[in-house]
Amino acid sequence: MTAMTATAVKATPDAAQPPFRRWSVLPGFGPALGFTLAYLSLIVLIPLAALFLKAAQMDWASIWGVLANPRVFAAFRLTFLASAIAAAINCIFGLVIAWLLVRYRFWGRRIVDALVDLPFALPTAVAGVSLSALMAKNGWVGSFFAPLGIDIAYAPPGIVVALIFVGLPFVVRTVQPVLQDFEPELEEAAATLGADRWVTFIRITLPALAPAMLTGFALAFARAIGEYGSVIFIAGNRPGLTEIVPLLIVIKLEEFDYRGAAVIAVASLLISFALLIMINILQRRLGRHHDRG
Amino acid sequence: MDRRDRPALRDPRWARGAIFVGGIGFLVLFVVLPLATVAVEAFAKGFELYLHALNDPDTISAIQMTLTVAAIAVPLNCIFGVAAAWAFGKFEFRGKTILLSLIDLPFSVSPVIAGMVFLLVFGLQGWFGGWLREHHIKIVFALPGLVLATIFVTLPFVARELIPLMQEQGTEEEEAARMLGAGGFRIFWSITLPNIKWALLYGVLLCNARAMGEFGAVSVVSGHIRGLTNTLPLQVDILYNEYNMVAAFATASLLAGLALITLAAKSFLEWRYADQLALTRR
């Protein structure tokens, strides 16, 4: 996820403001950029504009009417709460796994490293059916919790489980490169000054990793808000109780209530975009920090 | 650098144990066990029933549908990725930063919304719905809709691998070829393509895995017509909802196998051709 902003650094023009582009002997700029923009517009920008126009056709009262519905409100609350819990759990264990992969040498490290990316590669529907089989009352994991009276599958904890799965790689992959580049001399200096390992971690290492953890948290959170495939199998999908926002959109579409669906979609998109802008600002700060250091 | 030579970096024994158990345990719970579940459930009634479940006409047509959609969507996104990387990687122009973030946009849109926007444009109530109906052209609830939704969600994969790499590689080699008289396509085939081929393959792998596995976006535009517009992930959904567990997990096992092959190939590329992938992958 960090790749794009890293590439953007070069784009700043020289002090003397050039015209539209800096002169180059290489051919093909026009066709390449033209094709890129046309393709992007046709596939992404114009269809997304259709969504916003659909929602904009409604007046404020009817938009409020859609969003103020208790079922819609419950879905938004559940989606954001479950996403935040899942991202927070991923934040802690993402750090643990990144630490394991960077700092320790053990047999099978490469396999563990590869497995971290499985949630990116495994189709969400497959994750959904296998997680719900695993967490059901008679499943391998669910059967440990059933006697305690805790339901995981077909209850809110199941939603969190699915969202942990889809968000698992984000924190690991944002923290890992930062930890890799982290100067060990800083920790050694702390040790020579008499700090023990824990104090060094809290005062030196964790502050250096915190921005990356925050970025990973935001990425996992944003991904979780839109997640559909893995959740609907394990959630139980009871209205007002275990119904997530993307499912609500699908239900509205199936009822041919395209306007209602558009309003809910735009609301959840705007929140996601606000998050993305926050990530960008964070990453820019991170980049500046790196340049100075 | 070997951390064992740096005693100050050595965590106490209890911490090492906790990190090891915590990290591996978390991965086993959330990654290994779900994979194992797919295998165990798929073969729960024996190998013969597994094969029998896959030998269903609807499942076979779902396999064909998935392959067809990927065969159209992946090459198109591949061409898009190369064109975008040529424009963004080899030239400096104003507005580049904003355009770059637009390429990443599909990653921050819910798959459900990615499918839904095509309903709003091409569906019966949509912008072109009436016109399409008059001319008997089906886009949503048919193959074109599935392809469009898949292209939407997989659009950034190739571009985001190639753009940082081509920026990093600079333009000197291409400029030298230009000075020696090579034309645009000659420069691309003889200079640029050999430099980016492993990164291109890397992007295609990820793009293909997502294209074949996409569920939410495709689910919205497919209409779930059995044997006609069902892809493999949608077939898993249908079988699962019919409580046909062996067939659902047998179908899921095909997709899980694809995911494992993708991961293995990806790790191999990261290990063998690390210097020819973008910096973020090393």
Side-chain angles (χ1 to χ4, degrees), chain B residues 118-200:
Chain B
F118 293 107
L119 282 186
L120 294 180
V121 176
F122 298 115
L124 255 189
Q125 301 180 31
W127 285 356
F128 302 116
W131 188 87
L132 289 168
R133 191 185 155 101
E134 275 169 28
H135 292 79
H136 304 287
I137 303 170
K138 285 211 79 166
I139 292 193
V140 293
F141 308 134
L143 178 68
L146 297 178
V147 171
L148 281 171
T150 306
I151 291 179
F152 185 111
V153 291
T154 59
L155 182 132
F157 281 103
V158 177
R160 61 179 298 126
E161 292 306 322
L162 292 186
I163 292 172
L165 181 71
M166 277 169 73
Q167 275 194 333
E168 199 185 306
Q169 285 174 344
T171 53
E172 282 170 19
E173 290 182 39
E174 281 84 0
E175 280 164 2
R178 182 74 179 146
M179 299 308 172
L180 293 170
F185 281 100
R186 184 76 196 280
I187 294 175
F188 181 76
W189 280 112
S190 325
I191 307 288
T192 313
L193 194 60
N195 276 338
I196 61 167
K197 60 178 186 242
W198 297 115
L200 184 61

Side-chain angles (χ1 to χ4, degrees), chain B:
Chain B
M1 164 187 40
D2 198 343
R3 311 271 173 190
R4 275 167 298 189
D5 300 337
R6 316 189 77 127
L9 293 185
R10 193 179 293 167
D11 302 323
R13 182 182 280 274
W14 66 267
R16 269 181 296 167
I19 288 170
F20 206 86
V21 171
I24 300 290
F26 192 73
L27 278 175
V28 166
L29 183 61
F30 284 100
V31 175
V32 178
L33 284 182
L35 269 181
T37 305
V38 173
V40 168
E41 295 276 341
F43 293 106
K45 305 266 164 66
F47 188 67
E48 229 157 275
L49 268 172
Y50 172 81
L51 283 183
H52 182 76
L54 290 180
N55 200 10
D56 172 88
D58 287 344
T59 303
I60 289 170
S61 89
I63 294 173
Q64 285 168 344
M65 200 57 172
T66 294
L67 293 176
T68 311
V69 169
I72 301 169
V74 175
L76 283 175
N77 278 338
C78 205
I79 296 169
F80 167 76
V82 171
W86 185 261
F88 289 97
K90 301 292 181 188
F91 298 91
E92 297 298 328
F93 57 94
R94 248 192 268 171
K96 200 164 160 179
T97 319
I98 295 170
L99 289 177
L100 274 174
S101 57
L102 284 182
I103 292 181
D104 260 357
L105 196 57
F107 278 159
S108 46
V109 173
S110 169
V112 166
I113 297 175
M116 164 186 186
V117 292
F118 293 107
L119 282 186
L120 294 180
V121 176
F122 298 115
L124 255 189
Q125 301 180 31
W127 285 356
F128 302 116
W131 188 87
L132 289 168
R133 191 185 155 101
E134 275 169 28
H135 292 79
H136 304 287
I137 303 170
K138 285 211 79 166
I139 292 193
V140 293
F141 308 134
L143 178 68
L146 297 178
V147 171
L148 281 171
T150 306
I151 291 179
F152 185 111
V153 291
T154 59
L155 182 132
F157 281 103
V158 177
R160 61 179 298 126
E161 292 306 322
L162 292 186
I163 292 172
L165 181 71
M166 277 169 73
Q167 275 194 333
E168 199 185 306
Q169 285 174 344
T171 53
E172 282 170 19
E173 290 182 39
E174 281 84 0
E175 280 164 2
R178 182 74 179 146
M179 299 308 172
L180 293 170
F185 281 100
R186 184 76 196 280
I187 294 175
F188 181 76
W189 280 112
S190 325
I191 307 288
T192 313
L193 194 60
N195 276 338
I196 61 167
K197 60 178 186 242
W198 297 115
L200 184 61
L201 180 61
Y202 191 95
V204 167
L205 270 174
L206 298 184
C207 183
N208 181 63
R210 181 69 195 268
M212 290 190 172
E214 178 52 32
F215 177 75
V218 170
S219 163
V220 170
V221 291
S222 98
H224 305 277
I225 309 165
R226 272 183 165 234
L228 280 177
T229 61
N230 260 341
T231 61
L232 272 179
L234 300 177
Q235 185 68 11
V236 172
D237 180 30
I238 287 183
L239 294 167
Y240 188 83
N241 285 330
E242 288 172 349
Y243 299 102
N244 191 346
M245 290 305 160
V246 169
F249 280 97
T251 313
S253 74
L254 297 178
L255 290 165
L258 171 76
L260 286 177
I261 292 169
T262 305
L263 278 189
K266 178 178 164 296
S267 301
F268 176 76
L269 286 178
E270 281 166 3
W271 167 70
R272 178 71 181 75
Y273 298 105
D275 54 327
Q276 297 176 53
L277 298 176
L279 264 178
T280 45
R281 300 292 175 198
R282 287 171 202 166

